[in-house]
Amino acid sequence: MNGGRKAGPGRIRIIGGSLRNSRLDVPDLPGLRPTAERVRETLFNWLAPIVEGARCLDLCAGTGALGIEALSRGAASVQFVERDARAAQVLRDNLARLKATAGQVAVLDAGLFLRGVPQAQDLVFLDPPFALELWSALAQQLEQGGWLAAQAWVYVESPRAMAPTLPPNWQLYREGHAGEVRFALYRRALPLS
């Protein structure tokens, strides 16, 4: 589920692209914190040259705001992974209402999903529930499991005071802070053999 400020039930908006100003329903679920609008705006400014046509994976999708923002801006496809069945259903409903047919939802734990048959992704959103501290484990599965294209981009959202341990070949491109949240974009380099 997306990290950041707690946003109760209600709606958040898509900030750019073909779905700009569309509203997403947000269910009232413990730990569900959609990525703040200001953070999404900064992130997608960074991603502007690469998101169009990209194959994307939104792990721990929560509301799916990051993946839907990518679809709005021309991503070829987004695979959403959300373990909470209620959150996944609201996400499916939002995709259907927006006619975002290039988005698919898997109701599954992110770690279990990554044990499946890999499909190399150009862009991954890694924003697990903060309390579970899954960044390092999921990052290793992404890197070692064949889920990343040769020069994939990976967005990581975490608590400001915490620096997750990530694969050494993930090179920091840009980072920022919003309140108690650190958000960072990494570029994958091929590991040295």
Side-chain angles (χ1 to χ4, degrees), residues 99-119:
K99 297 177 176 52
T101 57
Q104 301 298 317
V105 180
V107 185
L108 198 58
D109 174 82
L112 289 175
F113 177 85
L114 292 176
R115 289 185 198 127
V117 178
Q119 297 172 339

Side-chain angles (χ1 to χ4, degrees), residues 26-165:
V26 178
D28 185 13
L29 296 171
L32 182 65
R33 295 174 310 261
T35 299
E37 189 173 302
R38 179 170 65 120
V39 172
R40 282 186 285 125
E41 184 170 14
T42 300
L43 171 62
F44 281 93
N45 285 340
W46 296 344
L47 292 173
I50 58 164
V51 73
E52 189 166 344
R55 295 161 299 166
C56 306
L57 177 60
D58 191 348
L59 281 175
C60 309
T63 63
L66 292 169
I68 294 174
E69 195 77 55
L71 288 172
S72 180
R73 294 164 187 256
S77 63
V78 177
Q79 175 66 64
F80 297 90
V81 181
E82 174 51 52
R83 70 180 184 162
D84 186 286
R86 294 167 296 169
Q89 187 56 55
V90 172
L91 175 51
R92 277 191 190 108
D93 294 344
N94 282 328
L95 289 168
R97 183 174 42 79
L98 297 172
K99 297 177 176 52
T101 57
Q104 301 298 317
V105 180
V107 185
L108 198 58
D109 174 82
L112 289 175
F113 177 85
L114 292 176
R115 289 185 198 127
V117 178
Q119 297 172 339
Q121 304 292 319
D122 302 308
L123 173 60
V124 175
F125 301 106
L126 180 56
D127 184 11
F130 286 6
L132 299 182
E133 299 186 13
L134 296 172
W135 297 275
S136 298
L138 293 176
Q140 287 303 321
Q141 282 187 272
L142 285 165
E143 179 61 37
Q144 295 171 359
W147 288 98
L148 300 174
Q151 294 186 316
W153 296 85
V154 182
Y155 169 75
V156 179
E157 193 169 309
S158 61
R160 186 175 188 150
M162 176 190 195
T165 302

